Amino acid sequence: MKKRERGEAKKRINGEGGGGGRFWHVTDFHYDNTYFTSQLSCNDDVPSPGPYGDYWCDSPWRLVQSTVDFMADKTKELGVDFAIWTGDTVAHISDDDTTLSENIAILRKVTELLENALPGIPVYASLGNHDFYPSDQAETNVSEIYTKVGDMWKDWIKSQSMVERFEDGGFYSVLVPNATSLRVLALNTNLYFTSNDLTAAVADPAGQFAWMEQQLQNARATNEKVMVTGHVPAAPLTRGLVNWFYPAHKTRFVDILTSYHDVIVATHFGHDHQDGFKLIQNTDGNNMDR
Ligand SMILES: [Zn+2]
Ligand SMILES: [Zn+2]
């Protein structure tokens, strides 16, 4: 689990002469609801985990709570405008030890925690590969998890048409209120994850690539800037490690990002369980200018 607050320079968020803003990025809570009993998420025997758990296990509720309490305490002081929450709320436990309804109950519990801790602050949330049941198997069409979670997040997503968009593939976009023309594209990149057996042979799972391009075209036409968020990042954790995305999906995704680098101000993902910054190069090997 990690949390961080990010300030963005004025020009990047709001364009020349804009007012600037701040947001939280919280991700990968991996709440283990069996903690202090069977501790099903622990990798090794942990004879006596501390009150906030152990490095080799996922998070007990106390750790999740204390993270969100910290965010609640600091939100006003820092002038935070919105939050992004990029998935993996369910623990690393076997499919035999959980169910879809248990995963949904965990997502509901953390959604309510954030709602209560951050009144009036919208949270732009995405699902992570561990939130699905079976694990990693993000569906390409309407499914129970999308419908139930769309209903849970509807006050943050606001527009009914985007809630319906989420219900059919797990992605949506929102124009951030009180920011000058800043749009969040909250993607479902679990559709491209190499552990997803449902999408290996699908060129554009759930039509998300086509939708993303349309959103970016519209943003360019209306002078919006776009922050792209999601759970699984396109790049590997470090150079030389295995790619998270299927190769064809990675190529298409990076092509879209580079084609719209004038519109996209930043991309933010979870899944890596560590902070990191990656620069995307174009096909000539040059870094993009943002
Ligand atoms: Zn994770
Ligand atoms: Zn993950």
Side-chain angles (χ1 to χ4, degrees), residues 28-30 87-88 90 92 129-130 231 270-273:
D28 294 76
F29 281 113
H30 287 297
D88 268 7
V90 172
H92 297 83
N129 53 299
H130 285 280
H231 179 66
H271 189 69
D272 280 343
H273 298 184

Side-chain angles (χ1 to χ4, degrees), residues 148-208:
K148 293 210 161 131
V149 173
D151 187 57
M152 245 182 252
W153 293 348
K154 65 178 188 292
D155 290 346
W156 291 330
I157 297 174
K158 287 280 184 208
S159 116
Q160 181 54 31
S161 66
M162 282 297 163
V163 172
E164 286 166 17
R165 172 64 282 174
F166 181 86
E167 288 171 352
D168 189 9
F171 50 94
Y172 61 96
S173 90
V174 177
L175 193 59
V176 177
N178 305 321
T180 310
S181 299
L182 176 68
R183 179 172 295 278
V184 171
L185 288 198
L187 301 179
N188 182 8
T189 53
N190 308 293
L191 294 169
Y192 315 132
F193 185 32
T194 50
S195 297
N196 189 342
D197 301 327
L198 304 173
T199 58
V202 183
D204 185 5
Q208 183 172 233

